[in-house]
Structures are given as structure tokens and as C-alpha cells.
Amino acid sequence: MTTTIPLAVRELDAQCPYCSVQCKLRLTPEPLPGGEPFRYRAQGVPNAASQGRACVKGLNAHQHAFSSERLLQPLIRKEGRLVPCGWDEALDAVAELWRSRIAAGDPDSVGFYGGGSLTNESAYWLGKFARIGVGTRHIDYNGRFCMSAAASAGVRAFGLDRGLTFRLSDIPMAKCILLAGTNVAECQPTLMPYFNEAKENGAYLIVVDPRRTKTAEAADLHLQLRPGTDALLAVLLLRLVLDEGLEDRAFIEARTEGFEEARRQAEALDPDEAAARCGLPLEDARRAARAYAGAKTAILCTARGVEQQTDGHEAVRQLLNLVLATGQIGRPGCGYGAITGQGNGQGGREHGQKADQLPGYRSIEDPADRAHAAAVWGVPPESIPGKGVSAFDMMRLVHEGRIRSLLVMGSNPVVSNPHAGFVEEALGRLDQLVVADLFLTETARMAHVVLPVASYLENEGTLTNLEGRVLLREASLPPPGEARADWAVLNALAERLGRKERFGCGSAEAIFEELRRASRGGAADYSGISYRRLRSEGGVYWPCPSEEEEGQGLLFADGFARPGGRAQFAARTAAGTGAVVETDGGYPLLLTNGRVLAHYLTGAQTRRSPALASRELESFLELHPRTAAALGIEEGEWVTVVSRQGEFAARGRLNAGIREDTVFAPMHWGGRQNVNRATRPELDPVCRMPGFKTTAVRVRPLRGGGA
């Protein structure tokens, strides 16, 4: 794997394309011995979000941008093979089919699948293009698998969804921090110093995770629960807070509603039975409840470990009950945070990529919200299609033949979706699969048309980090070859569909100016943010309704974004059921999955950075040594993992820090190593999040002929 030489030997300013911290970077050219002209050395740049830090992924991200595997011209499938073609031929082929579906009165047979790494401008443009360029209701994005559980829970509890309700700079003020299902040390490593500083200031750190991760190693208390019992644990913690009389009655009465039903539910729970089901000592849960509720200031954060379950919405709601019952929100050093995974997972869901949302975090089902978007777009409100379906539900429609053409932009669903074999089969049934990407990913290899797009070094635009801070990423280089910005591809398609007048913006800044108008008055109000402000101030929090305001870093100091300013407690109708998947003799272990330090999402970019790929060359399955011994598995040997949905292969890795009833695999590899070939297709009934974290499996050594 080699890197090509960029056009100019000069210092480049950049912003990491990976996690939700969005660290600023500077690339400095350095001469190389032996005839090679130079290489880039990356370093962090001081800024408010990351304080000048950068992790190994960000420091090596430029390697994929300069990779010889970059797509430099469009590809079209002829006689079963993808061959190079010109932009006109590629775009004409796409638009011709879309025009025929629109003319036949069936625009819903065209679907759009976006990504949480797209800029705010591209995400906004994609949502607008799907709805008034093509007229389809079918658009969703891979952030459905990232933030949907926390988003839906936050909206119902607080009236607003933003990753963090507090500022990153507030973290060192907390005297207790509870991290549930988040491995910050590996997934967002530049955040870890904030938590370390809090510990130095006397904070008590609690980590909830089935594995003893790098983050758990830093904890004062590790609650190593059974996968799928997070909602039950949350109810148990509330019960124990109530038993100790540690609830904040003044806060509950003044600023919330629905507490009595939540209290009755918690008090009906048997603590001993609940702790046993969670696989935890009851006294450890009691210590956690006392520490969190008894602290002067406390922060509670969740991530995919809690959220990627078939009751992820409910699990987060129950944890928010704990936040509200103790009054640990709306003050410096307090609050709730969903630690966003993707670089623009926050902004990507605010401006129209989600099936049920319009720009500014407006609802597509609300007449006033539809009227506002329609006025900005210059169309009648009734011309905007209604609510679509979630990302995985779209794959079901593809499989059923109801979606015949699909544009995938900035995502790799063949690897990232649950029940991946089903998804691959579904995409193979399409009349037309169009993929816009940097590389020939596993999904792009199946495409009828592949469109080359700009990387993070070449694509100007804004991104919103996990604390709701909008940041401007300047373009440092022109796109290589014939690659184009995502929004420019959509403009060219709009022209072929006769929609040029609606998609005439010729720059990312011009699109952002329209986004400002579209978001004005919405929950995610960007109308007071401009490129000028972002360049001069380095970043601005939303909501920011005017250029004279700073934006709100700390939310809910004076009231919640619900009627009457009161937050809403949640009550469960079946307390304690959780999302536990029952194991049996055929499938005796619980498979969970996640990330590792060196890689990101499906590895499409990080596996093309030699410095990162060399750290983790292949997937692995983490097992407890006693579990491995019982199965006859040795350290380093290949194993087959089989579920009721499918199977994958990985190299065994023994680790005494994982529960004996649980195995873990990372999510960054495709093909036979794709963990999602085994994950199950069931979805959360509220937010449509798949249950990635709980799959019953059996494991066998590959040398024994598999399972």
C-alpha cells in the first residue's frame, strides 16, 4: 500500500475525519532519505474541543487521502465488470433510471443512504435532493446505527437531542462520572485527558461494560454486567438511590414530571434478583448508586454499548431517569452525554438525512415544520414527501423489490448493517446501485455506477462535534483526478433531472447560508452561525439563533425544551426484561462487538493507512481463557463464530478481562471476517436501532472444520 505525492509541498491545515471530537490537525512536509521527495508529519493544533491533542488515527489519516487506491474517475458496470467512464456517461445512466421512475409516478422506488461523516452541507443537500430533487420519502443514514437510541430518548426526556448537554470543559468539574457502554480510551482517545483531569480533582469514575477495556482499567468501580441488561441495571440503580434517600426532591418537584410512576416501578424491583440477572454483585451496584447520587456534581455518559440494543431507547430513558431523580443536569460539572461515534454523527442527523426529519431538527410530520422547509426551498409544503423508514428497514424494502435504485453516499452498508448476508443479497437485487465513495469498498464492488468523491483534505464544510460545537473544516487541496465534492455530484444529478434551479449553490458556504435559513427557529438552530464567525472564533455551539449570541454550551440551566420547561420521567411497562438474548446448548455464548483504537467504522479508510493497518491486520475474537479452554481454542488460532443468522471467522485472542459468557469482535472488517454476518436483524421498536450488542453464538476452532 503506497501513498501518492500531493500537488504542493506545503504545510496543510486539516480536521480529523474520524471520531466526534473533531480534532484540528496540521500536516508538515518532511524530506525522506533515498530519493522519495517527502512525507507528511501530522500534529494536533490547539483548539477548544481537543486542546491540541490528536490520536493515532488522526495523525495517520492523511495516508488514506493520498492512497494509490483512491478512486480518480467514475466507474460503470459493463458486461459484469466495473470499467472507467466519464462523468457524463455515469451521471446520465443514473438520471435516466430515476427519470423513468419519477415519470411512472413511483419516486419512492429510489432510495438514498447517507453517512454520519458527511459535512453538514452535504447531509443537508442530500436530504433536500432526495425529497424535492427526486421526490422520494426513502432516505436514511448509517447514523441510525450510532445515535438513534440516545436521540429518541433525549427528545422524549428533555425535548432536545444533543450529544452532550454540557461542555467538554465541564468534565473536570464533575465529582462522579458514570460511563455506560463507552470505551473512550480507544474510541475517542483525545477525550480521555478530560476524565483523567477529573480523577486528579477527586472524581469517582464508574464504568459499565462486559469487558475490562482500557477505559474500565482507569475506573474506581467496574460494573461488568451481562450484555443486554443495561435497562435493568438503570432501574436497579434508581431503586438503590431511592432506598438511600438520595433523590433530589426539590429538583424533581420543580423541574420534572412523571416521577411517581417511575418511582413505583423502581420500588417494585427486587434488588437481589435484578443484580443476579445483570451478573453483578448487588453491593457494587449500591456503591455506584451512592457515589453518583451523593456527588455534588456528576456526569453520566452512554455510547453504543448501551444504545445498540433492541431496547436501546428504553435503556437510555431509564438512565435519564437516574439523571433526573438526582438533579445532576443543568449545572457546570453535571449533565448527560451520548458520546457520538462518527465525525458528524451529531450534525448529520440534524439537517435532513434521517427518515423523519427536516433541517434544523424539525419533524417531517409537523405541518409548521414542513411549511418552513418548503418556504426555504421554494416548493409547496404538500410536495415534500412524508416520513420514510429506517436504514435497515430500507434494506428490507430493497429485498422486497420496493426500492429499485439506491444511492449510497459516505457509507458501506454491506459491512455495517446487521444480518449482513441478507443486506448483500438485497443489494444484489437492485436494478441500480450507485455508490459515491473514496474507495472501491465492499459495497462499491457491487455497484452499477461508482462516483469518486473528495476526501477530508479536499472537502470544505462544517461538522458538529459531540458537544454541539459547529466547526469549519477548510479544504487544503483540490480533489485528485476527477473526484468531486458530494454536494457537487448532487448538483450535477439535479441538473439532469430538470431541478437545476433548486440546486444552484456553487460552494459549500453558499449551501451553509441556505442551511442557516432552513434551520432558523428549529431545535438545532444554526442561523446565527456563519463561516466568518467560525473562522474567527474557531467554533460555535448550537442553538445559536443570532450572530450576536455565543450559542449554548451548557443546556437546561433554566428549563428543558418541553412544554412547561419540565423534563419527563419514563416508566417501563415490563420493568427488568431488558434486551437479554437467551443462550442455549446450541448457542451458549453472547457475542458483542465494537471498535479498536487503530480503526474506524468498516475500516474503508483506516485499513488503507499503512500505519494503522499494521497495528491490527485482521479481525479477532476475544474470549475468556476458561471459555477458550472449554472449547479447545488456543491463543492466536482462527475460529468460526456461528449464530442463527450467519457466521464469520476471526483469530482467537484470550483475555481474562471479558466475562466468561461473552465474546467480543471488532466491526472493522468485511468479507468472511465481517462480524455483522452473525448479528441479528431485530430492531428497537421506538428508534429502529439494531441489536448489535447481543447475539447468541457458538464458537469452534476453524481447524476442526468450523462449527
Side-chain angles (χ1 to χ4, degrees):
M1 197 175 298
T2 60
T3 59
T4 59
I5 303 303
L7 295 176
V9 182
R10 58 182 174 83
E11 197 169 71
L12 306 176
D13 286 327
Q15 187 170 308
C16 180
Y18 296 131
C19 88
S20 58
V21 183
Q22 286 298 284
C23 305
K24 294 289 187 179
L25 302 167
R26 180 158 296 141
L27 306 181
T28 304
E30 291 184 335
L32 279 173
E36 288 284 341
F38 73 96
R39 67 181 173 193
Y40 275 117
R41 177 177 58 83
Q43 60 185 7
V45 174
N47 64 92
S50 64
Q51 301 177 327
R53 294 183 287 269
C55 79
V56 66
K57 285 196 289 290
L59 294 175
N60 291 286
H62 59 281
Q63 293 181 355
H64 85 254
F66 298 143
S67 170
S68 61
E69 294 185 48
R70 282 285 301 272
L71 294 170
L72 301 179
Q73 64 186 113
L75 305 174
I76 193 165
R77 191 169 296 278
K78 295 181 178 179
E79 298 180 355
R81 296 176 56 247
L82 284 171
V83 297
C85 69
W87 272 100
D88 285 340
E89 182 180 3
L91 295 172
D92 287 346
V94 176
E96 181 181 2
L97 179 59
W98 291 357
R99 282 194 302 267
S100 70
R101 305 308 302 184
I102 295 168
D106 191 18
D108 285 345
S109 64
V110 180
F112 292 84
Y113 192 110
S117 294
L118 299 181
T119 63
N120 289 317
E121 292 80 357
S122 291
Y124 168 71
W125 221 230
L126 184 65
K128 176 184 175 182
F129 180 80
R131 292 182 173 107
I132 69 166
V134 172
T136 180
R137 70 181 61 229
H138 289 139
I139 177 171
D140 210 67
Y141 81 128
N142 64 10
R144 177 71 64 171
F145 305 150
C146 178
M147 298 299 302
S148 60
S152 60
V155 168
R156 294 197 183 186
F158 306 144
L160 184 69
D161 157 43
R162 197 179 77 181
L164 305 186
T165 68
F166 52 88
R167 300 157 295 215
L168 288 174
S169 57
D170 286 348
I171 294 174
M173 304 180 200
K175 294 306 178 185
C176 181
I177 297 170
L178 196 161
L179 301 178
T182 174
N183 182 13
V184 176
E186 292 191 80
C187 299
Q188 291 89 10
T190 57
L191 289 187
M192 202 62 194
Y194 286 109
F195 297 105
N196 291 337
E197 186 179 348
K199 287 199 67 179
E200 291 168 3
N201 293 340
Y204 188 80
L205 178 61
I206 305 163
V207 172
V208 181
D209 201 299
R211 305 167 59 224
R212 187 166 177 78
T213 62
K214 293 292 185 184
T215 308
E217 289 175 1
D220 298 290
L221 176 61
H222 178 200
L223 299 180
Q224 198 166 9
L225 84 173
R226 186 172 188 246
T229 61
D230 301 85
L232 176 59
L233 175 62
V235 180
L236 173 60
L237 291 174
L238 179 58
R239 164 64 191 266
L240 298 173
V241 166
L242 296 172
D243 285 352
E244 301 278 337
L246 293 173
E247 70 272 23
D248 186 336
R249 283 283 176 173
F251 181 91
I252 293 167
E253 292 173 8
R255 301 196 55 189
T256 73
E257 58 190 26
F259 172 70
E260 287 306 314
E261 183 60 31
R263 179 189 60 78
R264 285 193 292 270
Q265 168 202 356
E267 290 180 345
L269 193 72
D270 182 304
D272 291 294
E273 180 183 341
R277 290 194 62 183
C278 292
L280 298 171
L282 178 59
E283 188 52 37
D284 282 356
R286 198 181 308 279
R287 287 169 60 199
R290 287 171 176 164
Y292 178 80
K296 183 179 179 180
T297 52
I299 282 172
L300 189 155
C301 294
T302 64
R304 308 304 82 73
V306 169
E307 299 156 22
Q308 286 183 329
Q309 301 191 34
T310 54
D311 73 340
H313 168 88
E314 195 64 49
V316 177
R317 286 299 307 270
Q318 295 302 319
L319 285 167
L320 296 185
N321 279 356
L322 184 65
V323 173
L324 296 174
T326 55
Q328 299 283 21
I329 192 167
R331 296 179 284 120
C334 296
Y336 165 70
I339 299 183
T340 315
Q342 297 190 72
N344 200 32
Q346 180 67 53
R349 68 183 184 271
E350 295 168 358
H351 300 301
Q353 278 194 104
K354 283 184 74 175
D356 59 348
Q357 285 179 260
L358 291 170
Y361 225 128
R362 287 182 159 90
S363 169
I364 202 166
E365 297 180 294
D366 183 278
D369 287 350
R370 292 171 63 85
H372 179 88
V376 174
W377 293 343
V379 300
E382 61 272 16
S383 70
I384 300 175
K387 178 181 176 180
V389 300
S390 75
F392 188 73
D393 286 316
M394 282 179 63
M395 294 302 164
R396 289 174 170 150
L397 295 183
V398 170
H399 199 274
E400 295 167 8
R402 294 165 63 187
I403 293 178
R404 302 304 310 159
S405 175
L406 184 69
L407 170 66
V408 176
M409 182 171 277
S411 192
N412 189 13
V414 165
V415 180
S416 64
N417 273 242
H419 200 8
F422 170 87
V423 171
E424 188 170 348
E425 181 183 333
L427 295 181
R429 297 183 177 188
L430 284 166
D431 295 334
Q432 182 190 71
L433 174 61
V434 185
V435 175
D437 212 309
L438 306 176
F439 301 106
L440 203 61
T441 63
E442 289 85 354
T443 303
R445 291 188 195 114
M446 299 184 64
H448 300 90
V449 178
V450 181
L451 306 174
V453 293
S455 80
Y456 78 109
L457 290 179
E458 308 130 18
N459 197 8
E460 181 176 80
T462 60
L463 299 101
T464 306
N465 81 347
L466 78 166
E467 58 176 340
R469 189 193 299 269
V470 183
L471 301 158
L472 175 61
R473 185 181 70 197
E474 308 270 13
S476 299
L477 293 169
E482 299 176 27
R484 299 181 180 182
D486 306 296
W487 56 263
V489 173
L490 297 174
N491 279 357
L493 286 166
E495 183 175 0
R496 283 163 171 78
L497 295 177
R499 307 286 196 271
K500 183 178 180 179
E501 73 282 1
R502 307 292 184 205
F503 295 88
C505 293
S507 70
E509 184 171 6
I511 294 173
F512 189 78
E513 287 301 305
E514 184 178 304
L515 183 157
R516 291 176 67 190
R517 298 196 306 275
S519 72
R520 182 175 290 121
D525 191 334
Y526 283 33
S527 60
I529 305 173
S530 65
Y531 273 35
R532 179 195 60 78
R533 284 194 69 182
L534 295 176
R535 288 188 173 112
S536 64
E537 299 176 32
V540 180
Y541 291 111
W542 72 260
C544 185
S546 78
E547 293 199 57
E548 288 69 46
E549 298 188 38
E550 293 184 359
Q552 294 181 34
L554 178 65
L555 297 179
F556 314 135
D558 301 316
F560 294 94
R562 295 187 68 256
R566 289 176 175 265
Q568 176 69 55
F569 277 89
R572 285 169 60 88
T573 56
T577 57
V580 179
V581 173
E582 298 302 330
T583 55
D584 55 35
Y587 302 94
L589 297 169
L590 280 173
L591 167 69
T592 190
N593 63 22
R595 304 183 183 192
V596 296
L597 175 61
H599 289 295
Y600 176 73
L601 299 186
T602 65
Q605 295 170 42
T606 52
R607 286 188 280 114
R608 289 172 171 87
S609 288
L612 299 175
S614 63
R615 288 171 173 258
E616 292 283 1
L617 292 171
E618 58 202 8
S619 187
F620 61 87
L621 186 79
E622 191 175 273
L623 313 91
H624 193 281
R626 283 192 287 271
T627 304
L631 297 173
I633 293 169
E634 299 175 1
E635 171 71 35
E637 74 168 310
W638 282 89
V639 299
T640 299
V641 184
V642 182
S643 73
R644 294 178 177 88
Q645 287 70 45
E647 65 180 69
F648 69 98
R651 193 177 291 280
R653 184 176 294 181
L654 308 190
N655 188 337
I658 192 169
R659 290 176 58 94
E660 291 184 47
D661 59 3
T662 302
V663 293
F664 167 87
M667 54 184 279
H668 312 296
W669 282 268
R672 197 178 180 192
Q673 298 181 69
N674 183 3
V675 64
N676 283 324
R677 290 189 173 276
T679 51
R680 54 202 183 92
E682 289 83 7
L683 305 177
D684 184 298
V686 176
C687 64
R688 312 305 286 168
M689 171 74 82
F692 287 107
K693 300 304 184 195
T694 51
T695 301
V697 297
R698 62 176 181 265
V699 182
R700 298 288 186 274
L702 196 58
R703 57 180 156 81

